[in-house]
């Protein structure tokens, strides 16, 4: 148990398993992040070789080690195939500590509601276990599919928070930000294995 009172809890939604990344996931990280369609709106996030994928995975693991949560691997029940990644990381926006909601799938998995199911569970988990932090999603203005996922996950458009990113201006969607009308995060039929908090956590 780390200082935040969280362990490596694995989540199970109606169709999906979301778990902490492992070293064996490096090829899946490469496959998704080297796909030009997957990174079409965020080319800065692309990786092009195993070294880059290994570095990306190590960065995710550092966040897990420091905070006890982070980005997760998405799979369907009974399958080892990695569909993509979804989770939150602690970062800064407008001089506030926030949780950045991330979701990226292999293009062949688009259109099946996987991103919405994973992001909805993640938004619910963040509201349940880390309510002190606002939740935000950074989405490019022309990425309408990603915008729909953010809205379905309970975030609301917050144009006053729009912020330059490495690939241009990011539209901000937010939850639990003062002045932003709250959405309704839902676990989406989720079951969580042994969620635990320490006193005061």
């Amino acid at each position: 148990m780390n200082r935040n009172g969280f362990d490596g809890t694995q989540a199970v939604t109606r169709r999906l398993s979301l778990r902490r990344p492992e070293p064996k996931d490096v090829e899946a990280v490469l496959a998704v992040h080297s796909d030009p369609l997957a990174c079409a709106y965020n080319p800065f996030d692309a990786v092009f070789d195993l070294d880059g994928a290994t570095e990306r995975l190590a960065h995710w693991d550092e966040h897990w080690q420091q905070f006890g949560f982070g980005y997760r691997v998405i799979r369907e029940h009974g399958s080892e195939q990695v569909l993509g990644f979804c989770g939150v990381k602690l970062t800064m926006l407008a001089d506030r500590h926030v949780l950045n909601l991330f979701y990226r799938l292999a293009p062949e998995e688009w259109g099946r509601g996987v991103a919405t199911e994973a992001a909805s569970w993640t938004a619910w988990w963040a509201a349940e276990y880390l309510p002190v932090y606002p939740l935000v999603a950074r989405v490019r203005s022309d990425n309408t599919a990603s915008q729909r996922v953010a809205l379905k996950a309970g975030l609301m458009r917050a144009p006053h928070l729009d912020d330059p990113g490495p690939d241009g201006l990011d539209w901000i969607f937010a939850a639990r930000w003062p002045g932003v009308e709250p959405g309704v995060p839902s676990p989406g039929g989720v079951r969580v294995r042994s969620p635990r908090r320490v006193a005061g956590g």
Side-chain angles (χ1 to χ4, degrees), residues 6-78:
F6 301 102
D7 60 12
T9 299
Q10 177 170 321
V12 180
T13 70
R14 182 174 61 86
R15 294 181 296 167
L16 307 174
S17 167
L18 295 93
R19 61 162 174 80
R20 178 175 175 169
E22 302 172 358
K24 67 180 182 180
D25 298 314
V26 65
E27 292 187 0
V29 172
L30 176 60
V32 172
H33 290 83
S34 64
D35 191 302
L37 286 177
C39 295
Y41 296 100
N42 301 96
F44 183 82
D45 287 349
V47 296
F48 304 102
D49 52 37
L50 274 176
D51 286 343
T54 300
E55 182 178 353
R56 182 68 53 84
L57 196 60
H59 180 69
W60 292 356
D61 190 61
E62 288 174 5
H63 190 280
W64 270 96
Q65 291 187 45
Q66 184 174 2
F67 299 109
F69 62 89
Y71 295 165
R72 297 175 182 264
V73 173
I74 306 171
R75 297 174 301 157
E76 286 187 292
H77 299 320

Side-chain angles (χ1 to χ4, degrees), residues 105-177:
L105 302 184
E108 58 267 25
E109 307 301 335
W110 294 355
R112 300 199 298 122
V114 172
T116 296
E117 189 168 332
S120 294
W121 177 83
T122 302
W124 169 83
W125 180 90
E128 183 76 7
Y129 292 101
L130 295 170
V132 67
Y133 298 115
L135 179 68
V136 303
R138 306 179 69 107
V139 184
R140 298 304 304 281
S141 62
D142 50 351
N143 191 350
T144 55
S146 185
Q147 293 168 25
R148 288 194 296 270
V149 171
L151 292 169
K152 290 178 180 178
L155 284 71
M156 303 297 291
R157 180 78 174 95
H160 64 291
L161 298 175
D162 289 354
D163 186 58
D167 295 305
L169 184 67
D170 288 331
W171 280 16
I172 303 300
F173 292 73
R176 299 190 302 283
W177 192 287

Side-chain angles (χ1 to χ4, degrees), residues 84-100:
F85 308 93
C86 181
V88 290
K89 74 173 181 180
L90 198 60
T91 186
M92 297 289 294
L93 177 68
D95 297 321
R96 294 179 67 117
H97 286 97
V98 301
L99 296 173
N100 181 74

